[in-house]
Amino acid sequence: MKCLENIGRYASFWGQTPRSSRGHAGPGGKAMKWKLSPKKAIVSVLSAIQTLANPNPTRNHQRPILIEQEHKDSIAAYTPPSELPYYGRSPPVYPAPIANGTTPIWAQAYLLASLTISNLTLPEKLNLTIGHPGPCVGNTAPIPRLSIPSLCIADGPASLRGQEYVSAFPAGIHLAATFDADLMTLYGRALGREFYNRGVHIALGPVAGPMGRIIKGGRNWEGGGSDPHLAGKLFAQVAKAMQGEGVVAVGKHWVGNEQETRRRWDWENNRHAVSAEVDDRTLHELYVWPFMEGLKEGMGGVMCSYQRVNHSYGCQNSKLLNGVLKQELGFEGFVVSDWDGQVSGVGSANAGLDLVMPGRGFWGEKLQEAVQNGSVTEERVDDMARRLLAGWYFLGQDRGYPETAIWNNLEKHGAVDVMDDHGGLIREIGAAGTAVVKNEKGTLPLGKKRRFVCVFGYDAQVKASPWTNRDRYGGGYEENYGWETFNGTLITGGGSGSTTPPYVVSPFEAIQHRVRKEGGILRWDFWSGNPTPYLNADVCTVFINSYASESFDRKHLTDKFSDDLVLNVASWCSNTIVVIHSTGIRLVEAFITHPNVTAVIMAGLPGQESGNSLVDILWGDVNPSGRLPYTVAKSEQDYGSVLDPAGAEDEDFPEDDFSREGVFLDYRAFDRDDITPRFEFGFGLSYTSFSYSSLHTTVQPRANTNMEEWPDRHKNIVQGGHPDLWDVVAVVRCHVTNTGGLHGAEVAQLYLGVPDPEKDEKTPVRQLRGFKKVGTLAPGEARQVVFELTRRDLSVWDVVEQQWRMRRGEYKVYVGASSRDLRLESVISLR
């Protein structure tokens, strides 16, 4: 209910809008100041509004604090239209659930946290709910008398950003392109170890939101792509592995954070952020799905998002925080605001926010005042502090944790090297996430026969001056706004999710080393749009990229200079290889059918070992197995209504209707609308070939597994949701055989169709529900692949029963090499 969930903005605290120490872009400026109103008439009116919006007062223990505006000359004389029509679109869910360690793995941590909380004063507990000055991106308050340190919070999902002697891992979208759960685990383990060894307690990652709904979204590259199963597996594997190293993983952004355009409240112009208008089924089956995976593995933190969902801001949305996250999914960890993402005081406290960053926001002494006047209960504050400390105890951070070693570039300090041997892993993941999408005339692998190599394009070499921002490789918000390409080889996107590489192996450096080793020659041109022809060249490589960053969304999915560069080279070079480093979908129609463009490589965002990873693919040291984690269309129009972000600058209450497409994102929409893509989801070529055979499906529940239509209502919810959801109910087996002449690995993909999709227009004909990287297989070698399907894999969200329903009937099973290359088909019958 908006009058409750926005109550702090209208009713609780006053003061300047907190400014970010983290450098997030977005409208700043002065906030309106507020004071308590003595006018009983206003109290009566707003109390009546509250009663109308929430006629059941027993569900809400919050007392409204009512205010009037203290007018300032600096505030523009603009009166926005009334919010009343939007009240209640996000249903109110109060009070906030109290976590108590119901999930077995949390029990001991909650026992210790509860004992600690019982020994804290109210000011000490309140201090644990807000950010404080310190060396890290975020810092909590220490409690010296109980030996509780300031907890260090740091970015990000792919690197300990802004530090020296740390690694720059591939981006989330690149890791997703590996379709390899084992590499996802190794990635999380290595990343977590670097955070741990630098004394970081809480890492802001991994990412499951954005999901890539908006095709031009500026942060799509940080997460695992637009399929919830793939994104969820990545999210869970990375989070579990990071926490296995002792670092609290904070999954972000909960939930519906799918664009940069108007993602934040505009304090200066008094206009709202965009609202993600999402229906219940779409919310659960698409956007909540990957978070469930991470929560099941014990994820200790979740970051709420800037924008509104159904007109309630993410960090004060009681339906999402209290109702879905903490009640339905049994979350035992803490909810932290995105930096300066809190827009109310009492409202966010009662809606389920636990920790404000980077400063006190609308809390601090004002939250103490709210407790004293009964607007927020002390029990709620206890729960906030307990959730934070439970994570600290859960991962054993109270026992011998490393000292925090975080500095800026102007501080003299000793080197704390945490890179270990991670460069080798980064190189392996870089190659594994590289997708070859065209390979004709035997172009790849190059081998020793290609001795005269040309290297063209701005993406082939490192940027000449990438450190204008000390902790954002390539450029910070102050200069990167609107970039469509990056003037150097692209290894990461921009913003808080970017990395700080210790070095960058450029494609040119690696190719030059290889050509020299093979006894060949090179010609290169990194600047010209029409390089000098060399008609004796064996192969011409053209390097282009497509950039994106937090703080803005992309304008186009192509750029003319890059397309023209490819065509100019292809006009004389009969063996042109195009390499694209990209933050997301990049269309290739301008050159993909050109007869002289014989190979195209989607090289993603591979991290610091970029050039080495690419050379491993080019020369065949690694047989490519990367697969596209999204669909590449033939035209922008093929993506329909989700192509561009919503929210014009002059709208007071901008909306984006997620329910318009429902769960039909990416390949689901292309299948429904019978649109032929250029390259489908899951597509990627190999230098060998594979066959599929011997598909067998069995309903194979373990002992005491509930096979009824609904989960057992008598079982307690644990973190991740109802425990029945994770029971294996069916098993699918098949064989994959290497039928070619080279060693290689195949990515087998399982797609599932639920019963009676023709009677349910909201259900896709098939959805990814399993993937396995098979190999490396020798020529002629076969291997069995086993997919285990859980109750949740076979379920749809029932909006009436508010539960996952495993339908009766025949589930169609498809196994193949991509969402459109389906080699085998069978059924699973549930009666």
Side-chain angles (χ1 to χ4, degrees):
M1 172 173 67
K2 290 293 289 202
C3 59
L4 288 176
E5 299 186 291
N6 282 338
I7 196 168
R9 182 164 57 79
Y10 292 105
S12 54
F13 310 142
W14 57 90
Q16 199 79 0
T17 305
R19 301 309 300 271
S20 173
S21 63
R22 191 177 172 197
H24 275 319
K30 296 181 179 179
M32 293 185 179
K33 294 187 176 183
W34 306 92
K35 64 181 180 180
L36 295 175
S37 171
K39 299 180 180 179
K40 294 183 179 179
I42 297 179
V43 173
S44 300
V45 170
L46 292 184
S47 295
I49 293 172
Q50 174 184 320
T51 301
L52 289 171
N54 182 14
N56 183 6
T58 61
R59 297 189 64 191
N60 172 39
H61 59 258
Q62 174 175 299
R63 298 179 186 175
I65 303 175
L66 305 170
I67 46 79
E68 63 185 355
Q69 182 179 351
E70 180 183 332
H71 295 285
K72 297 292 180 182
D73 293 338
S74 60
I75 301 299
Y78 171 76
T79 302
S82 172
E83 286 186 277
L84 284 175
Y86 303 100
Y87 285 4
R89 289 200 184 179
S90 183
V93 180
Y94 297 100
I98 304 299
N100 55 19
T102 301
T103 305
I105 60 174
W106 282 94
Q108 181 65 21
Y110 264 87
L111 177 62
L112 295 172
S114 295
L115 289 173
T116 301
I117 292 297
S118 68
N119 288 302
L120 298 183
T121 65
L122 177 59
E124 286 174 328
K125 288 183 284 191
L126 291 167
N127 250 350
L128 287 174
T129 69
I130 59 176
H132 293 261
C136 302
V137 165
N139 308 270
T140 67
I143 306 177
R145 69 182 183 87
L146 296 180
S147 300
I148 298 174
S150 171
L151 302 185
C152 172
I153 306 174
D155 283 315
S159 171
L160 178 46
R161 181 175 52 80
Q163 296 301 298
E164 301 159 4
Y165 294 98
V166 300
S167 303
F169 291 84
I173 197 69
H174 194 98
L175 182 62
T178 69
F179 279 71
D180 189 330
D182 292 336
L183 284 180
M184 294 170 187
T185 295
L186 292 174
Y187 178 105
R189 189 177 299 163
L191 183 60
R193 193 175 303 131
E194 295 203 7
F195 278 91
Y196 174 87
N197 287 332
R198 293 294 286 266
V200 175
H201 301 86
I202 300 169
L204 300 178
V207 174
M211 286 276 294
R213 172 183 178 267
I214 298 299
I215 303 302
K216 297 178 181 176
R219 299 184 76 174
N220 292 350
W221 56 276
E222 295 184 35
S226 57
D227 181 86
H229 180 83
L230 175 61
K233 292 303 178 186
L234 181 151
F235 192 67
Q237 296 297 119
V238 173
K240 180 180 179 181
M242 289 178 69
Q243 294 199 163
E245 297 299 320
V247 179
V248 176
V250 174
K252 58 183 189 180
H253 304 82
W254 176 270
V255 66
N257 180 72
E258 296 294 325
Q259 64 179 60
E260 296 301 285
T261 302
R262 295 203 62 174
R263 67 173 177 162
R264 302 181 67 173
W265 166 264
D266 182 351
W267 297 94
E268 193 166 327
N269 296 305
N270 198 26
R271 287 195 171 96
H272 281 286
V274 68
S275 178
E277 299 293 288
V278 57
D279 64 89
D280 195 34
R281 182 173 176 185
T282 299
L283 175 72
H284 282 82
E285 293 189 15
L286 200 58
Y287 301 101
V288 169
W289 183 288
F291 281 92
M292 293 176 70
E293 298 269 359
L295 296 181
K296 175 181 174 290
E297 299 300 339
M299 178 175 280
V302 166
M303 179 185 285
C304 53
S305 55
Y306 287 123
Q307 89 300 328
R308 296 175 297 153
V309 177
N310 298 329
H311 285 276
S312 178
Y313 278 93
C315 291
Q316 62 189 43
N317 189 309
S318 69
K319 168 63 177 177
L320 292 179
L321 300 181
N322 289 341
V324 179
L325 183 60
K326 292 184 175 181
Q327 182 173 303
E328 180 188 316
L329 300 184
F331 181 48
E332 308 260 27
F334 61 89
V335 177
V336 58
S337 71
D338 205 338
W339 265 228
D340 295 335
Q342 185 196 40
V343 297
S344 75
V346 172
S348 61
N350 287 331
L353 181 64
D354 301 308
L355 177 61
V356 172
M357 281 292 152
R360 65 187 52 231
F362 291 100
W363 283 358
E365 69 278 2
K366 294 303 175 182
L367 184 54
Q368 181 168 344
E369 180 182 325
V371 172
Q372 291 169 345
N373 68 28
S375 298
V376 177
T377 66
E378 188 166 352
E379 182 183 39
R380 171 80 268 265
V381 175
D382 287 350
D383 185 56
M384 296 176 188
R386 188 185 299 111
R387 286 173 177 272
L388 179 66
L389 290 178
W392 185 60
Y393 285 118
F394 178 50
L395 296 177
Q397 295 180 355
D398 58 317
R399 302 187 299 275
Y401 205 77
E403 289 292 321
T404 298
I406 300 294
W407 301 279
N408 67 48
N409 63 307
L410 298 179
E411 294 179 275
K412 187 71 176 176
H413 59 84
V416 181
D417 185 348
V418 298
M419 297 184 292
D420 294 330
D421 58 352
H422 297 158
L425 175 64
I426 292 169
R427 179 173 182 168
E428 180 182 1
I429 295 172
T434 297
V436 175
V437 295
K438 182 178 182 180
N439 186 20
E440 297 179 349
K441 301 179 182 178
T443 298
L444 297 174
L446 295 178
K448 294 184 179 181
K449 60 184 177 181
R450 312 292 188 184
R451 298 184 59 205
F452 186 167
V453 180
C454 292
V455 180
F456 300 129
Y458 56 88
D459 182 76
Q461 185 59 289
V462 294
K463 185 177 181 179
S465 179
W467 298 114
T468 52
N469 184 302
R470 71 170 182 92
D471 64 353
R472 287 180 169 86
Y473 174 75
Y477 303 117
E478 66 278 5
E479 63 175 321
N480 74 355
Y481 191 88
W483 288 359
E484 294 192 301
T485 56
F486 182 75
N487 195 14
T489 195
L490 186 64
I491 66 165
T492 181
S496 61
S498 61
T499 61
T500 314
Y503 59 82
V504 175
V505 179
S506 72
F508 179 71
E509 176 187 351
I511 291 173
Q512 181 168 241
H513 177 78
R514 186 60 176 253
V515 169
R516 185 172 69 246
K517 178 182 176 181
E518 302 288 354
I521 70 166
L522 276 172
R523 294 292 182 267
W524 60 91
D525 185 340
F526 308 135
W527 298 107
S528 174
N530 192 8
T532 300
Y534 292 93
L535 299 185
N536 290 318
D538 293 314
V539 63
C540 303
T541 56
V542 183
F543 289 85
I544 62 177
N545 65 49
S546 186
Y547 185 77
S549 172
E550 180 182 15
S551 82
F552 63 94
D553 293 310
R554 298 165 67 188
K555 296 297 184 184
H556 306 96
L557 301 181
T558 61
D559 74 279
K560 189 175 188 303
F561 177 88
S562 300
D563 288 347
D564 286 348
L565 169 63
V566 172
L567 293 173
N568 287 336
V569 173
S571 68
W572 57 264
C573 184
S574 61
N575 207 22
T576 300
I577 301 172
V578 182
V579 180
I580 305 171
H581 287 112
S582 177
T583 52
I585 295 169
R586 208 285 185 186
L587 301 189
V588 294
E589 290 308 295
F591 53 78
I592 193 64
T593 59
H594 195 292
N596 286 346
V597 174
T598 54
V600 175
I601 300 175
M602 299 293 190
L605 298 174
Q608 68 193 42
E609 288 282 334
S610 174
N612 286 334
S613 298
L614 180 66
V615 163
D616 289 343
I617 296 293
L618 287 173
W619 267 267
D621 299 334
V622 174
N623 197 333
S625 60
R627 301 293 182 260
L628 294 177
Y630 44 67
T631 295
V632 177
K634 293 183 177 181
S635 72
E636 290 191 354
Q637 290 68 37
D638 288 344
Y639 294 108
S641 61
V642 297
L643 175 66
D644 293 298
E649 290 185 6
D650 59 351
E651 290 182 87
D652 290 295
F653 302 106
E655 296 179 348
D656 195 1
D657 186 6
F658 284 44
S659 302
R660 177 177 48 205
E661 76 280 348
V663 299
F664 289 92
L665 288 186
D666 202 78
Y667 67 90
R668 301 172 190 78
F670 280 73
D671 289 345
R672 178 196 61 191
D673 300 333
D674 196 24
I675 299 173
T676 301
R678 172 55 62 189
F679 303 117
E680 71 271 17
F681 174 89
F683 175 76
L685 299 174
S686 171
Y687 298 155
T688 188
S689 57
F690 299 91
S691 66
Y692 290 70
S693 63
S694 306
L695 180 64
H696 297 284
T697 62
T698 56
V699 177
Q700 192 172 320
R702 296 185 174 95
N704 301 318
T705 297
N706 172 25
M707 294 298 293
E708 299 300 320
E709 195 167 0
W710 305 98
D712 185 347
R713 61 185 178 88
H714 298 294
K715 292 183 180 179
N716 292 328
I717 299 297
V718 295
Q719 182 161 312
H722 196 292
D724 284 358
L725 295 175
W726 308 103
D727 287 342
V728 173
V729 298
V731 177
V732 177
R733 295 177 174 86
C734 71
H735 281 83
V736 173
T737 303
N738 184 345
T739 57
L742 297 173
H743 286 69
E746 173 73 331
V747 174
Q749 302 163 45
L750 184 151
Y751 295 82
L752 195 68
V754 302
D756 301 323
E758 66 278 359
K759 297 179 182 178
D760 180 1
E761 295 181 354
K762 295 183 178 180
T763 301
V765 64
R766 54 185 161 265
Q767 302 180 76
L768 183 71
R769 286 295 182 260
F771 60 87
K772 288 288 180 68
K773 188 170 181 178
V774 189
T776 300
L777 299 179
E781 183 181 359
R783 190 170 300 174
Q784 187 181 63
V785 185
V786 179
F787 300 97
E788 292 186 329
L789 298 174
T790 66
R791 165 185 279 273
R792 191 183 65 144
D793 290 329
L794 274 64
S795 296
V796 296
W797 178 255
D798 191 292
V799 298
V800 176
E801 295 293 330
Q802 288 293 288
Q803 188 53 271
W804 292 94
R805 179 187 180 190
M806 190 164 65
R807 291 176 175 174
R808 309 291 94 176
E810 289 193 342
Y811 290 78
K812 292 184 178 180
V813 177
Y814 309 87
V815 176
S818 76
S819 62
R820 294 215 165 179
D821 184 4
L822 302 170
R823 313 283 183 86
L824 305 173
E825 184 175 340
S826 185
V827 296
I828 295 171
S829 296
L830 294 182
R831 300 299 179 187

